[in-house]
Amino acid sequence: MSVPTDRMPLDARAPVSPPWPAYVTASVAWHAGAAGVAIVAPQEWPWALGAVAANHALLTAGGLLPRSRWLGSNWTRLPAAAAARREVALTIDDGPDPEVTPAVLDVLDRRGARATFFCIAERVRAHGSLCREIVARGHSVQNHSDRHAHTFSLLGPKAIARELAAAQETIAAITGEPPRFFRAPAGLRNPFLAPILQRFDLQLVSWTRRGFDTVRREPTDVLARLARGLAAGDIVLVHDGNAARAEDGRAVALAVLPELLARTKSLGLVPATLPVASLQQRSDDVAAPAEGAASASP
Ligand SMILES: [Zn+2]
């Protein structure tokens, strides 16, 4: 299989996070310290065991908090350069969905907005032409795992790597562009994920705010959660797949998007895809009315 690799120049991309997240070094040192105490002062072994248990509890908690950075680099907002350009990222998860996604694309077209679709690879394989249409209409498709397993955060390193690899291959083969961003199913992960993301050169992305539109059926409630304090650099999350239905039967995201995009525009914010928002500098920065644009050119 031949996959185009005409990706952005390295210097224009987001900085690569360190090869090992700090928690790995800290945890290894913590375990070594506890083992040392148990050897030097065997009567203190319950304390050493307690210290190791506390370390594991912290790692588990870090994986269950989608926006935490304890387990490695995790975007909860766009980089500063994107915020300076007044960009926001609209991220749309769990598709493509043959019923909802085309309607979402129409809403985005009408508002001239660009979005990032975190797609589930098995749905990409089932709806390949729809996935290609997402890209053809100016949006970005990124990695949301192969199967969106509810047990993703319980998987071991080999199974996590298989999930990421299968989704990378599927999306690259169908869209021609290998994903550069990953979002964990439900945002839940474990300490094995960060080194595997490094291997695939994938940046973990969570969100600034979400509307819980897989479970909440009231559009005004979802909109309020998404729009409250909306500002440059925000990453917002809605769903075209697994979407809750409003009273009229529509996916909640469809009921919410027109007003959300209207508010985005009235605040002078620009919905941009994650690959675009990750650029340090864009050729059209000079023409952009964003604050700080005057100092953006060398
Ligand atoms: Zn999801």
Side-chain angles (χ1 to χ4, degrees), residues 9-241:
L10 276 176
D11 59 351
R13 301 181 51 192
V16 173
S17 47
W20 287 99
Y23 77 86
V24 175
T25 315
S27 295
V28 168
W30 192 260
H31 280 70
V37 166
I39 290 166
V40 174
Q43 71 281 9
E44 304 291 353
W45 70 265
W47 291 100
L49 191 64
V52 168
N55 174 262
H56 284 235
L58 269 177
L59 292 179
T60 302
L64 297 179
L65 298 170
R67 303 180 69 242
S68 99
R69 293 192 181 87
W70 300 350
L71 300 185
S73 174
N74 180 12
W75 281 16
T76 58
R77 300 182 56 75
L78 296 176
R85 295 190 296 261
R86 298 200 60 74
E87 289 170 354
V88 291
L90 176 59
T91 59
I92 304 174
D93 284 18
D94 293 3
D97 178 286
E99 181 201 342
V100 180
T101 309
V104 167
L105 290 172
D106 288 345
V107 172
L108 294 172
D109 270 356
R110 278 199 292 277
R111 303 276 172 172
R114 296 286 176 266
T116 300
F117 291 75
F118 277 100
C119 289
I120 301 170
E122 68 179 14
R123 295 186 182 176
V124 170
R125 289 191 288 275
H127 309 291
S129 58
L130 179 53
C131 191
R132 276 189 288 273
E133 190 180 345
I134 293 173
V135 174
R137 288 163 80 164
H139 310 289
S140 174
V141 171
Q142 300 293 332
N143 187 332
H144 194 34
S145 83
D146 191 47
R147 297 169 299 131
H148 204 268
H150 293 301
T151 53
F152 183 82
S153 66
L154 303 175
L155 298 179
K158 279 188 180 163
I160 292 176
R162 271 199 303 272
E163 280 283 321
L164 269 60
Q168 286 295 100
E169 279 178 26
T170 294
I171 294 171
I174 287 180
T175 68
E177 293 175 21
R180 292 174 41 209
F181 299 92
F182 175 76
R183 178 172 282 153
L188 307 181
R189 63 219 141 97
N190 67 33
F192 296 126
L193 178 63
I196 297 167
L197 290 173
Q198 291 284 341
R199 217 165 79 208
F200 287 98
D201 199 14
L202 284 166
Q203 169 64 52
L204 182 70
V205 175
S206 52
W207 50 82
T208 311
R209 58 178 61 80
R210 56 176 163 169
F212 295 97
D213 59 331
T214 55
V215 287
R216 295 187 180 270
R217 304 183 57 212
E218 179 51 61
T220 52
D221 170 39
V222 171
L223 178 65
R225 288 168 187 277
L226 293 170
R228 189 181 304 134
L230 186 66
D234 281 3
I235 300 170
V236 298
L237 162 60
V238 296
H239 288 80
D240 57 349

Side-chain angles (χ1 to χ4, degrees), residues 271-292:
T273 65
L274 286 173
V276 166
S278 71
L279 296 173
Q280 295 295 330
Q281 193 176 344
R282 283 163 51 186
S283 53
D284 58 349
D285 272 359
V286 176
E291 287 173 11

Side-chain angles (χ1 to χ4, degrees), residues 256-282:
V256 162
L257 275 175
E259 179 59 22
L260 180 65
L261 291 168
R263 293 197 193 185
T264 302
K265 191 176 181 188
S266 71
L267 290 166
L269 302 172
V270 184
T273 65
L274 286 173
V276 166
S278 71
L279 296 173
Q280 295 295 330
Q281 193 176 344
R282 283 163 51 186

